[in-house]
Amino acid sequence: MEYSNPKIPEGINASTQHPLKEFFLLTGGVLGGVLIVVVVLTLLADRLAVYIPFESEMQLVTRVTDGIPAEGAEPLPIESYLNGLADQIAAEEGLPPEMQLTVHYVDDDLVNAFATLGGHIFMFRGLLEKLPNENAVAMVLAHEIAHIKYRHPIRSMGRGIIFGLAITMVSSTLGNAMTDQVLANTGGVTVLKFSRDQEREADQTALNALYRRYGHVDGADLLFKVLQQQEREGEALQMPEFFSTHPLSEHRIDDIHTFQAEHATATDVATVPLPDQFVAWLIPAETEKTD
Amino acid sequence: MADLTIFMVLLALGYGFGRYAELKHYKSIIRREKEFRDIPAVTTKFPPLSKAVDAELVSGSVVISVDYFKRFIAGLRNLIGGRVTAYELLLDRARREAILRMKEEARAFDGHIIFNVKLETSSIHKGRKNGVGAVEVMAYGTVLIKQ
């Protein structure tokens, strides 16, 4: 009997297809699929989160924060002023009565303000110091109140939970840490788009409220000019809009100017000055005591 | 963004080096298969018995690592199923290389044919989260040596 090992024909046990072809088909297909699933799921979460009663949202916050900031603590003068202003703006925006607002003052250099679950709004000293009149402060408050009116905080949370869950379930089947990272980034960029839409919605509602209250929207763009200044000075990192949670400040200023052009004001416009003690209120309570 | 950049670089490095090594390896495999064609390796268990031969155990083993690019593709394959061609190529290389090394050993014995060839495959290193790190293929058989 004759034994031999002839030449092995190639391409039977191993594919001769170019590996990059498979790479592009796979990444395109899988990342595209993840994108669709995340968009559908987060849209659902976004729509359904609105049906969570505001009361439950407030209870949730109390449970998580465990009474921080302390209940019954005497509000600072600046907080009383901001809360008063917030209530007037809330009336202009038609905030349902069950949505209680609580404005907190944060003694920090951060140029920021945010609204979160349970109708809590946080205003930072860094931002308030840079706002020259009531209209500008009102714009910030109106923007944050609009977030609460549209239930943006709880909708964001709902989306975040669903998104996290989806990514965890997908990545548990993969077994590659870096693949997880790519999937999470893909989904994350999608979530940011929702976030930017919410910011635009809040800006528009805030402008309408300001227009009803003051008869004009002068001073509304000051907030974004402050933010723009921050970005130019390099204190805030400016990212391309696609990778950002907020629309670019220049786009937001443009939107305000469009609004101004559409809502012509007949009378001579004047901005409302801030209360005389406003600057003194911004000084932290501790230093006041030691003086 | 930074981690995405690092990831893309790792992927490109994995592809570049992995592909280069693969093509080079295949060239070498095909050349050496021709060179060792005079020592057939067959799976028949029972060689024609003759007192005029000696028999020796010969083996060849190889360990090949998975590159970053292959691991990434295989990870995505896990989601949707199908032929993991990236790993197929890897194992094909490993099997053929193992047989070649076995034949090399046989040649050192002045053997003329290897009977009862068997192949063993194992993943010798489980990467993070049980990902495949490297594969080992071992080929062994009985070489007949004319006295």
Side-chain angles (χ1 to χ4, degrees):
Chain A
M1 192 173 192
E2 281 295 310
Y3 294 101
S4 72
N5 279 164
K7 186 181 184 319
I8 303 170
E10 302 292 331
I12 293 175
N13 283 325
S15 155
T16 48
Q17 181 192 265
H18 200 280
L20 281 182
K21 190 184 166 195
E22 194 190 8
F23 172 75
F24 287 119
L25 281 176
L26 269 179
T27 43
V30 171
L31 295 185
V34 166
L35 219 66
I36 291 168
V37 169
V38 167
V39 167
V40 169
L41 281 178
T42 48
L43 263 178
L44 280 176
D46 191 73
R47 290 287 147 83
L48 293 175
V50 182
Y51 296 102
I52 300 170
F54 195 75
E55 208 177 314
S56 315
E57 193 183 314
M58 282 165 68
Q59 282 168 3
L60 185 79
V61 174
T62 326
R63 205 161 51 218
V64 174
T65 57
D66 201 18
I68 302 168
E71 295 267 338
E74 191 67 27
L76 299 166
I78 181 84
E79 288 182 330
S80 307
Y81 165 70
L82 290 173
N83 271 303
L85 192 59
D87 286 341
Q88 290 169 35
I89 296 164
E92 297 289 356
E93 287 189 10
L95 199 72
E98 72 270 15
M99 291 194 185
Q100 288 173 30
L101 296 173
T102 322
V103 185
H104 305 273
Y105 173 67
V106 185
D107 180 27
D108 194 287
D109 289 333
L110 201 66
V111 182
N112 199 6
F114 65 89
T116 183
L117 297 172
H120 293 279
I121 296 172
F122 291 83
M123 304 282 281
F124 286 75
R125 176 168 50 75
L127 177 62
L128 287 173
E129 275 172 353
K130 290 192 162 63
L131 300 175
N133 51 45
E134 193 192 280
N135 301 58
V137 176
M139 178 63 192
V140 180
L141 279 173
H143 175 92
E144 302 308 337
I145 293 168
H147 276 315
I148 290 168
K149 182 188 173 189
Y150 297 122
R151 311 292 302 275
H152 289 165
I154 194 141
R155 282 161 69 181
S156 297
M157 192 184 78
R159 290 200 313 256
I161 291 172
I162 290 292
F163 174 67
L165 218 77
I167 293 297
T168 313
M169 283 168 76
V170 171
S171 60
S172 65
T173 63
L174 280 178
N176 181 328
M178 247 3 221
T179 322
D180 302 356
Q181 192 64 48
V182 171
L183 291 178
N185 281 340
T186 313
V189 169
T190 331
V191 172
L192 291 176
K193 170 82 176 88
F194 286 112
S195 170
R196 289 198 300 275
D197 288 346
Q198 290 188 341
E199 296 300 329
R200 283 197 195 97
E201 194 181 18
D203 280 350
Q204 283 305 312
T205 308
L207 284 175
N208 276 314
L210 248 67
Y211 184 70
R212 273 198 294 276
R213 184 170 153 80
Y214 300 106
H216 62 85
V217 293
D218 267 34
D221 54 356
L222 285 170
L223 160 66
F224 302 116
K225 285 186 174 150
V226 167
L227 292 178
Q228 216 174 20
Q229 188 66 26
Q230 287 287 105
E231 286 157 11
R232 283 207 192 108
E233 285 168 10
E235 286 180 39
L237 188 67
Q238 195 181 8
M239 295 279 278
E241 186 165 89
F242 185 65
F243 292 107
S244 178
T245 54
H246 287 66
L248 293 178
S249 295
E250 55 184 271
H251 293 171
R252 301 172 83 176
I253 293 171
D254 288 347
D255 286 346
I256 292 174
H257 291 159
T258 313
F259 186 93
Q260 264 173 327
E262 283 167 1
H263 300 72
T265 41
T267 49
D268 195 24
V269 293
T271 48
V272 181
L274 286 165
D276 295 336
Q277 313 94 308
F278 188 77
V279 179
W281 286 341
L282 292 179
I283 298 165
E286 285 92 328
T287 31
E288 243 173 40
K289 273 174 204 159
T290 49
D291 278 345
Chain B
M1 274 312 278
D3 45 7
L4 204 65
T5 316
I6 294 171
F7 169 73
M8 296 305 272
V9 169
L10 284 174
L11 211 59
L13 282 177
Y15 175 74
F17 283 103
R19 183 78 177 153
Y20 173 73
E22 191 168 87
L23 291 175
K24 202 176 140 195
H25 192 196
Y26 262 118
K27 235 178 226 169
S28 143
I29 286 173
I30 290 166
R31 179 178 54 77
R32 285 182 297 146
E33 273 176 352
K34 197 177 165 193
E35 195 183 316
F36 286 103
R37 200 151 285 153
D38 58 316
I39 308 176
V42 295
T43 53
T44 314
K45 267 186 178 174
F46 307 105
L49 284 176
S50 148
K51 282 184 180 167
V53 292
D54 280 341
E56 289 287 349
L57 171 73
V58 281
S59 68
S61 92
V62 61
V63 179
I64 302 183
S65 173
V66 182
D67 63 60
Y68 199 86
F69 180 79
K70 284 191 171 62
R71 199 172 299 148
F72 176 74
I73 289 198
L76 290 179
R77 262 287 170 229
N78 274 353
L79 277 176
I80 55 171
R83 274 179 79 168
V84 189
T85 50
Y87 285 172
E88 282 180 353
L89 276 166
L90 187 82
L91 282 161
D92 184 55
R93 276 162 66 193
R95 280 191 302 264
R96 289 164 75 171
E97 178 68 34
I99 290 174
L100 280 169
R101 288 182 184 184
M102 177 182 71
K103 285 185 174 183
E104 221 173 302
E105 203 176 309
R107 172 148 298 164
F109 282 120
D110 266 336
H112 68 279
I113 186 164
I114 307 166
F115 276 93
N116 201 11
V117 171
K118 296 207 167 94
L119 289 165
E120 305 273 352
T121 310
S122 55
S123 65
I124 62 157
H125 165 250
K126 301 272 184 203
R128 268 179 78 185
K129 291 197 194 170
N130 281 335
V132 182
V135 286
E136 189 218 14
V137 174
M138 185 184 181
Y140 57 94
T142 307
V143 67
L144 300 186
I145 306 150
K146 278 182 186 150
Q147 278 177 336

